[in-house]
Amino acid sequence: RGSESAAPGMAPARQVLCLCVFLSAPLARSQPIRYSVAEESESGSLVAHVAQDVGLEPAQLGAREARLVSEDGRQYFRLERSTGRLAVRDRIDREELCGQALTCTLSFELLLANPLQFFRIEVAIEDINDHSPLFPEEQVTFKIPETSDPGSRFPLEGARDLDVGSNSLQAYSIAPENEYFSVSFRSRREGGQSVELVLEKALDREKQPEVTFSLIATDGGSPARSGTTQIRIVVLDANDNAPVFSHELYRGQILENAPKGSLVLRVVATDADVGSNGEISYSFSQAVDQRLSAFEIDARSGEIRVTQPLDFEAAQKHELSVRATDGGGLSALCKVLVEVVDVNDNAPELVVSSFVSAVSESASPGTVVGLFVVKDRDGGANGKVSCWLEEEPSFSLRAAYKNYYELVTASALDREERARYVLAVTAADEGSPPLSTTHTFTVDISDVNDNAPVFNQTSYTMYVRENNEAAALVGAVHAADEDEGPNSRVTYSLAPGGPAERAARSSVSVHSENGKVFVLRPLDYEQLRQLEVVVSAADSGSPPRSANVTVRIVVLDENDNAPVVLHPAQDSSPPSSELVPTWAEAGYLVTKVVAVDADSGQNSWLSYHLLKATEPGLFAVGTQSGEVRLKRPLSDRDAVKQKLVVLVRDNGRPPLSATAVLGALLLDGFSDAHMPRSGLAADNEDGGSLTLYLIVSLALVSLLFLASAAAFVACKVCRRKALKEGTVLYGPGDLQSSLADAAAAGTLPRAYCYEVSLTTGSGSSEFKFLKP
């Protein structure tokens, strides 16, 4: 290793750049980038500026997560992302990697992850003269008969130099030079070298029984290296003939799965001598790189057999050196080349270089998901591998470079339809029987916000009772989103509306997380029957998607309004009196109590009951109609002035009620203006049946009647004027609108209009009850 110090300095000068710039991406896929570097280069030695050669800036290497990938996983080089330099990682021993091969190339890929792209790189390891020739033995002894003729040749086991090319073994020499021997060196056509000692002068045992010298092997490196072995020549008495092999080179074949003890071949050597000088024994001659433990030779028969299982993938050929020695010490060498026949005992291997486990559902067809290489350690047809993807229409395999394949998307993906793909890739060789390997790729489809929320109903109707509490829960809306993660997280809100919807939006709120709908303030059924708002459901995607639904909130009536008596008017004091003729029969309609209830439904169903009366048995009130009628004819014992209290009650729970107080005057011939006075005189003519108390009472009643009649007439006149102007007044305030509302709400079974007419110029009165 005398040249080790010179090798690192020579490395940059000996680099060879075969391809500098790729003109297009397809070319970069099909042709590798080739470099060279000297073996034993120091760690960190520059190989090439690879970023420049692939057309990238150094900053892009880091951004695209550039890295080096090799089939066997071993890294002999490193990539400096900051500078784009390809440098030696550790010292590289060419002989350890490639042995005696004339070329030694390390192949790997420069892989760019984002987006996925790779470049094939091949680096040739150039040999340096770092190995000296080495003889298998430090000393070799020859026993040569003294009768040997000049020109006789004696084969030697040559030295081995692990270097190749000009650095390999080039010449042999003898030191010190002597008059008896010279060395002959030549290369065989079958491979290997032939080294022989040539006898230049006849030996004389009596004169010189031993000859000793050094055999020097020199390589062609600069500076040259050499190796030495000692040669000891023992001069024997006459053993005239050395053994002779039938072939200089024997070839044999053996299956790699051949059992222990299987015969490989048999070597044969002959000796013309007789006796002990003609008895031949066989043995292996030790060599540097032979693995003799795999074979054994029978010393008598020359049969070579297997001692342990062979492996075609580890060594395809075995070179053996066999020596045949006779009893007189003469020997001969031959070469045995054993070829190992491959058996399909290795299944294909699938090595993943890069794999993306999650792919967006928006990925376009042709997106690269994985990159892998398939290889088979067997040779010939046993090593030819085909690769295919089990039936899956959404993905396919695409050949990339040599035995590299890309796993790509073949069609559009939809996560909502299928969120995960388990892809089985099978690699099979062409052996008999064929062997195969299946590798599984699990690809998860990542979500894209391509689905809007969907409500579980096209519209919602919710109910709330009036006079509700503030923030009352009335229901909930629910929307689902087929996406996942943030894209499926739904929030709810009230959609903006026009001015007409502002009042409704101010009264309603929706919970943003669970969609519960609340009414914020108490509602009054009599003012607002229903609310309509639009609820929006939006997901959390970017950009978000949303959907709207109409929510109708129906206000349910509560019995919170007591009946209101419209007729007779209750705001007069004393209350107005109805005039009843004394001749009226049973069933005579005295008046009708008219009441309304602002509630609806059964809460507005009114019933009328006679609560109190001066003569309880004289009057009856219609439960549904409110009509006050006579239950029996009038009698003289009945008081002239009657007072009735009518209870008006709705059908709510609990029921609410109101009372109507009305009066009735029982008059005889009330068309005569002086009827009271005439009646009193008649009574006096009957015999003085009335007492003074009765006279005073009648006088007071008459005065009260006259005052009431005057007030009643004035009121009716005012009402008639109002009727002529198109308006009917039923009491103080805007009673007409109240009646209209009541009728609209369905609280009155039928409508009545009462008109009171008083004749002018007479004391009689007439009532007309007109139905519309």
Side-chain angles (χ1 to χ4, degrees), residues 153 180 249 393 399 545 550 717:
R153 294 178 176 269
Y180 293 103
L249 177 65
R545 291 177 176 266
T550 300
V717 171

Side-chain angles (χ1 to χ4, degrees), residues 239 241-243 269-282 300 325-329:
N239 180 16
N241 296 284
T270 59
D271 195 315
D273 295 325
V274 295
S276 62
N277 292 331
E279 294 179 359
I280 300 174
S281 63
Y282 300 94
R300 293 300 176 185
T325 306
D326 62 18

Side-chain angles (χ1 to χ4, degrees), residues 67-101:
R67 59 189 176 96
L68 301 180
V69 179
S70 62
E71 294 180 6
D72 57 3
R74 298 181 62 183
Q75 296 291 342
Y76 297 97
F77 304 93
R78 67 169 181 261
L79 176 65
E80 298 176 0
R81 292 184 179 178
S82 60
T83 61
R85 289 167 25 113
L86 181 66
V88 176
R89 185 185 186 92
D90 296 309
R91 285 180 177 270
I92 301 174
D93 190 345
R94 182 189 184 283
E95 288 72 25
E96 180 182 349
L97 291 176
C98 304
Q100 295 295 111

Side-chain angles (χ1 to χ4, degrees), residues 39 94-95 99-101 127-136 158-172 193 217-221 223-227 288-289:
E39 68 170 330
R94 182 189 184 283
E95 288 72 25
Q100 295 295 111
D127 183 56
I128 63 173
N129 191 25
D130 58 341
H131 292 87
S132 299
L134 180 65
F135 286 92
R160 298 297 300 274
D161 193 335
L162 296 180
D163 297 321
V164 297
S166 62
N167 294 326
S168 63
L169 185 62
Q170 299 295 324
Y172 289 87
Q193 300 170 343
T218 307
D219 63 21
R225 290 174 176 262
S226 62
V288 175
D289 61 348

